Amino acid sequence: KKLKMANTLKPYLDCIRATLTASMCLQNFPSQVVERHNKPEVEVRTSKELLLEPLIISRNENEKVCIEPSINAIRFSICIKQADEIEEILTRRFSRFLMQRAEQFVILRRKPI
């Protein structure tokens, strides 16, 4: 059974999906500074030529996604709308749920940026 989402949200999510798919052309790339090290360039930022321009996809000022691609990693930050107290609680619970399972995700950090 296919889930239906709100028509206003679909173009926003489709754009995020397409951008993430396009930026996931990753490859194994060893460090240019330290021999035999392979660290995510988006985190260490040792070589500017290996970082791509960050992309911000925004639905409004409260709902946006920042995608920071590099040659061997992607970092994306999500800003979720929190209009009232219930949405704030749900967002906090969802973030906590993801952070507790950070070891199971390859690209998830434990701390917000």
Side-chain angles (χ1 to χ4, degrees):
K1 189 175 181 182
K2 195 171 184 179
L3 295 174
K4 289 190 176 189
M5 63 182 84
N7 287 335
T8 57
L9 192 59
K10 184 168 177 22
Y12 173 66
L13 295 176
D14 287 344
C15 182
I16 292 171
R17 179 181 298 237
T19 307
L20 278 174
T21 301
S23 63
M24 291 225 188
C25 297
L26 304 174
Q27 62 185 12
N28 188 10
F29 195 83
S31 174
Q32 294 178 330
V33 179
V34 182
E35 189 176 338
R36 295 187 181 187
H37 278 249
N38 191 347
K39 298 196 176 185
E41 285 296 327
V42 75
E43 293 288 327
V44 294
R45 297 188 176 274
T46 55
S47 304
K48 288 187 178 182
E49 66 270 9
L50 302 176
L51 299 172
L52 300 172
E53 274 303 307
L55 304 163
I56 298 176
I57 302 169
S58 178
R59 186 168 179 226
N60 56 43
E61 65 181 39
N62 296 326
E63 294 176 276
K64 54 188 164 188
V65 174
C66 177
I67 301 170
E68 299 174 76
S70 71
I71 195 160
N72 62 354
I74 296 173
R75 173 172 52 200
F76 64 98
S77 306
I78 303 169
C79 182
I80 301 172
K81 178 182 77 167
Q82 299 175 33
D84 58 4
E85 190 175 337
I86 300 224
E87 288 179 349
E88 289 177 19
I89 293 169
L90 288 172
T91 302
R92 194 169 42 247
R93 295 278 177 136
F94 179 64
S95 299
R96 199 166 134 222
F97 172 83
L98 291 175
M99 284 188 277
Q100 287 174 344
R101 290 153 181 82
E103 287 85 22
Q104 297 171 5
F105 298 105
V106 178
I107 59 173
L108 187 68
R109 288 175 49 142
R110 287 181 182 266
K111 57 185 179 180
I113 296 176

